[in-house]
Amino acid sequence: MTEVFFENEVPISERFGDVYFSKEGGTEESAYVFFEGNRIAEKWKETNTTNNSGFTIGELGFGTGLNYFITLEKWKKEISPPTVSFFSLEKFPLESSTLKIMKNHFPEISTWEKGLLDSYEKALKDGGQNLRSRIWTWTTPHPSHRTQFHLHVYFSDVITTLGDWKEKIDAWYLDGFSPAKNPEMWTAEVFQKIKSLSKEGTSFATFTAAGFVRRNLESVGFRVEKQAGFGRKREMLVGGI
Ligand SMILES: C[S@@+](CC[C@H](N)C(=O)[O-])C[C@H]1O[C@@H](n2cnc3c(N)ncnc32)[C@H](O)[C@@H]1O
């Protein structure tokens, strides 16, 4: 478990000295950067649901689960979305007491309901000391359509987990802490692994526009574009293969 402290109900990692989500407009920023940056709503419309070909999202850094909750919320509002599998990974899982505070911070969306929190805690305990065997899954049926939203969180290091994943990904949410503070989430080795797990036409989006992140992405063959960042942030990166 990892240590956090709070400023205005926003969790900050002691280990990395960085916020889990933005202090201003956490939900809007997350939706803008990751959901819209990857054009997920358009891609869902293009995904053929008749042959059960689902849509897969890969996230680096599960943290508080905010990106998952926002994506799930958007999916529930679609009339006939495809089945979605949301794969995420987390080496330093947050304690339930921290996650409960999320619920107060974002009353407008459904986040850490009791059943979900119990299931998260159980998955962490059941895996024992071997981080690699701790995997948490949770399925939500669509409120009016026949499809489902599957969450899979691997509680292990980024490199180990990407090596274990078999599923090919349609859209990547690159959400480590800021690259200067958490460089191991932004290496060419990580990007080489995500490239090998990407479907043709995959996309990525990230809040950062750091030069070494762009260069590492390009060095393994991703097309990278700069886009206006959220609010006062000048730039962010999007792209694909
Ligand atoms: C900015 S936070 C993610 C925020 C998250 N997406 C959310 O919605 O709350 C970055 C996350 O990456 C995790 N992380 C950092 N280094 C890691 C590593 N080497 N392997 C796996 N996870 C790592 C951190 O523990 C943290 O939870």
Side-chain angles (χ1 to χ4, degrees):
M1 289 295 178
T2 193
E3 297 300 317
V4 293
F5 61 97
F6 286 88
E7 272 178 23
N8 301 330
E9 289 187 341
V10 173
I12 300 176
S13 161
E14 279 186 5
R15 182 188 300 267
F16 293 98
D18 199 9
V19 289
Y20 279 84
F21 48 80
S22 156
K23 289 181 189 160
E24 305 105 29
T27 50
E28 291 84 1
E29 176 157 3
S30 177
Y32 175 85
V33 173
F34 299 105
F35 190 82
E36 290 162 32
N38 272 299
R39 298 178 32 254
I40 301 278
E42 288 163 58
K43 290 183 170 184
W44 281 348
K45 292 202 168 51
E46 290 159 12
T47 305
N48 180 359
T49 53
T50 53
N51 66 1
N52 282 334
S53 71
F55 189 86
T56 47
I57 295 173
E59 178 186 52
L60 307 194
F62 182 70
T64 65
L66 181 62
N67 290 336
Y68 159 66
F69 291 119
I70 288 170
T71 307
L72 179 64
E73 205 70 21
K74 300 261 186 202
W75 177 82
K76 282 185 191 161
K77 288 186 180 140
E78 292 283 324
I79 297 166
S80 55
T83 284
V84 173
S85 296
F86 190 106
F87 290 86
S88 191
L89 55 90
E90 179 54 61
K91 185 176 182 179
F92 309 105
L94 286 168
E95 306 231 14
S96 318
S97 53
T98 304
L99 298 175
K100 273 184 199 151
I101 297 174
M102 278 274 296
K103 220 165 133 36
N104 308 334
H105 195 85
F106 300 113
E108 71 278 19
I109 60 169
S110 164
T111 57
W112 288 99
E113 306 305 335
K114 188 168 176 335
L116 192 70
L117 208 51
D118 290 348
S119 159
Y120 170 88
E121 281 181 332
K122 187 170 179 314
L124 281 173
K125 275 200 206 105
D126 287 354
Q129 288 310 304
N130 181 5
L131 275 181
R132 199 168 181 168
S133 65
R134 298 188 203 174
I135 301 168
W136 176 43
T137 57
W138 184 263
T139 293
T140 309
H142 193 270
S144 59
H145 193 51
R146 57 183 163 72
T147 49
Q148 297 179 316
F149 197 111
H150 304 291
L151 171 68
H152 309 260
V153 185
Y154 289 60
F155 294 110
S156 190
D157 182 71
V158 61
I159 291 290
T160 313
T161 303
L162 291 175
D164 285 346
W165 280 1
K166 303 280 175 279
E167 204 82 22
K168 297 275 182 181
I169 300 295
D170 286 294
W172 292 97
Y173 293 6
L174 306 183
D175 198 19
F177 285 120
S178 92
K181 294 174 175 165
N182 189 195
E184 57 278 21
M185 287 287 264
W186 307 94
T187 61
E189 186 186 3
V190 167
F191 297 150
Q192 184 61 54
K193 287 198 181 287
I194 73 168
K195 188 185 172 201
S196 68
L197 287 169
S198 291
K199 286 190 196 166
E200 212 185 315
T202 199
S203 63
F204 75 83
T206 179
F207 63 89
T208 183
F212 84 88
V213 170
R214 180 173 50 76
R215 286 190 293 278
N216 283 349
L217 281 160
E218 284 172 343
S219 75
V220 304
F222 279 96
R223 169 179 46 76
V224 184
E225 293 159 34
K226 280 186 185 165
Q227 182 176 297
F230 180 81
R232 282 177 294 156
K233 293 186 185 153
R234 221 157 45 92
E235 289 169 334
M236 57 176 261
L237 300 178
V238 294
I241 296 178

